[in-house]
Every structure is written in structure tokens, then in C-alpha cells.
Amino acid sequence: KLNGVGDYPKQYEFKEWSQIEMEKISREMQSLRDNIKKSRSHSGITEAEHTRYDLALNSAGGRIASYHKTRLLDECSVLTLLFGACHRQNPPEKVIDSSMNPNQCFCFHGNKGDFTIEMGCEAVLDGVTIEHIPKSMTPTNDLSAAPKVFTLTGLKDVHDENGFNFGTFEFDPNVKSKKSFTLPVKSEEKFKFIKVSVSDNHGDANKTCMYRIQLHGFVESC
């Protein structure tokens, strides 16, 4: 008896799995793994894209330093600005926010626009990730307003007119809703200001909507 009191514990009969049953369990586990991979592939997100630190993120100290001459889709009138009643639904700051909700994006007129991100820390840049909501999350199943071609330029400050060209990238959200790029041109120089220039979208002549951009690199101190 256990500790001198009570009954002996029940005797359990252990079943030995047959070879056929083991093979069935193995097939079901493999099917589960395949479904997880398909789900990740459909969303366009890989493990590597999950783990890169985002230097542009607003909660990590990133901010929009300028959107230059880009014309916002929901521009405020002088009067509303004067009285502090201006509320933009699609401001530039949306592009460095981690939330990915439909219509919560940076929208500007036409298919061209640019903005400069001031990262939380100076960094040697080595990669960029761009993300858009999938077609299934759009009200019209239309991705024509998504950015297609964009260029990254490292700036000394927000007024720098020359800068270092990290390269031009092409993004297709119809293939992957989240895409990471290694910079084709690298610099060992540290930058804090990165200009993003969109030169084309996927066909919408009226507007371009950018959901999120992430900047990746190496930081010595912050």
C-alpha cells in the first residue's frame, strides 16, 4: 500500500501499437506539418522574416522625418490644421506601425511618392521588408494600389539631396504579401535617415497605399 493507507494503485494495461497504426499516426503528423507550411507560404511570411529586428518601427524609436512633396490622400485644410481638428486616416506614420488592419495604411495621390524615415538608432543597413495585406482582406479583392517599385537612399540628414543609393526593389503582393530583400548595394557607413521613393504601383492611377516597411541592419549602440 502507498504510505500504509488506501488501496493499491490500479493496474493499467498498456497497448502496443501495431505497425499499421504507427504508420497512420506518422502520416497524420506529416499532413499537419504540410498544412502549417502551406499556411505560412500563403501568408507570405517565413520564420526569417519574423525574427529580423525592425529599425524603422515607431515603438522602437522610428519616426517619419519628412514626406517631402508627396501629396497625401486625406490632406487637411488650412482651417482644420489651424484649429487642431485635423484627423488623417492614412498618415505617413502608418507605414512604420506594426498593425496590419485593412485601410490602415499610408495613402498618397498617384503612383509616385517618397518619405524619409528617421530610425531609432544609427545602423549599417543590410535589408528591407515590405508588407501589404493579402487580396482576401481587401474589400474589393484589388491590389492595384499596392506599391510595386521603390528605391532606398541613405541620407546624412533629412535635407541631404545626394545620399547613398541602396538599390531599387520590385514588390508583388499577389505572389507574397510580405517580402524581404537583401540590399544589392551595401555600405559600411552608418545612417539614421532612410528615404523611401515609390516610383510605381500595380495599376491604380489615383492612389498608392503602403501598409508597412521594415528596415534591418547592424547597430553598435543606441
Side-chain angles (χ1 to χ4, degrees):
K1 292 187 178 183
L2 299 175
N3 299 324
V5 292
D7 298 327
Y8 284 103
K10 282 185 178 181
Q11 297 299 313
Y12 291 95
E13 183 180 344
F14 290 93
K15 180 181 177 181
E16 185 175 343
W17 296 100
S18 69
Q19 184 66 28
I20 295 174
E21 288 171 321
M22 290 295 290
E23 288 175 356
K24 183 181 178 182
I25 292 170
S26 179
R27 285 195 301 271
E28 288 175 350
M29 289 179 69
Q30 184 59 49
S31 176
L32 181 61
R33 284 193 290 267
D34 290 342
N35 286 336
I36 291 171
K37 285 181 182 177
K38 284 179 185 176
S39 175
R40 285 175 180 164
S41 175
H42 177 71
S43 67
I45 300 172
T46 66
E47 287 300 320
E49 288 168 338
H50 267 305
T51 55
R52 292 303 310 267
Y53 185 80
D54 179 13
L55 292 159
L57 189 64
N58 54 7
S59 60
R63 73 179 189 95
I64 300 298
S66 173
Y67 51 90
H68 307 280
K69 296 179 181 179
T70 302
R71 188 180 164 204
L72 304 186
L73 197 67
D74 50 359
E75 274 187 312
C76 296
S77 68
V78 176
L79 195 63
T80 55
L81 279 170
L82 220 85
F83 287 96
C86 176
H87 175 72
R88 295 189 176 112
Q89 183 182 351
N90 305 107
E93 287 75 18
K94 290 288 184 184
V95 82
I96 55 171
D97 196 313
S98 60
S99 61
M100 289 289 296
N101 298 315
N103 297 323
Q104 295 297 300
C105 52
F106 169 34
C107 280
F108 52 87
H109 281 276
N111 63 353
K112 293 179 175 63
D114 52 46
F115 55 95
T116 295
I117 298 170
E118 181 181 0
M119 299 184 292
C121 311
E122 274 193 333
V124 175
L125 217 65
D126 78 332
V128 59
T129 297
I130 185 168
E131 188 172 4
H132 198 279
I133 59 171
K135 187 181 287 187
S136 59
M137 288 180 67
T138 64
T140 57
N141 279 334
D142 180 24
L143 296 178
S144 60
K148 181 180 180 181
V149 181
F150 67 98
T151 301
L152 291 187
T153 307
L155 306 179
K156 290 289 187 185
D157 56 62
V158 73
H159 303 295
D160 187 357
E161 294 183 359
N162 297 311
F164 181 87
N165 190 333
F166 287 107
T168 299
F169 310 86
E170 189 164 329
F171 171 60
D172 188 354
N174 292 288
V175 178
K176 291 185 76 175
S177 58
K178 184 175 183 180
K179 176 70 175 175
S180 289
F181 301 89
T182 300
L183 303 184
V185 185
K186 293 191 175 74
S187 170
E188 293 302 314
E189 191 175 355
K190 296 175 189 173
F191 291 98
K192 194 169 186 183
F193 295 88
I194 303 296
K195 185 178 181 181
V196 182
S197 304
V198 178
S199 55
D200 199 9
N201 64 18
H202 284 271
D204 193 321
N206 298 314
K207 67 181 182 299
T208 299
C209 295
M210 200 165 187
Y211 272 85
R212 188 179 178 189
I213 192 162
Q214 300 180 45
L215 300 173
H216 313 299
F218 302 97
V219 178
E220 287 183 4
S221 60
C222 191

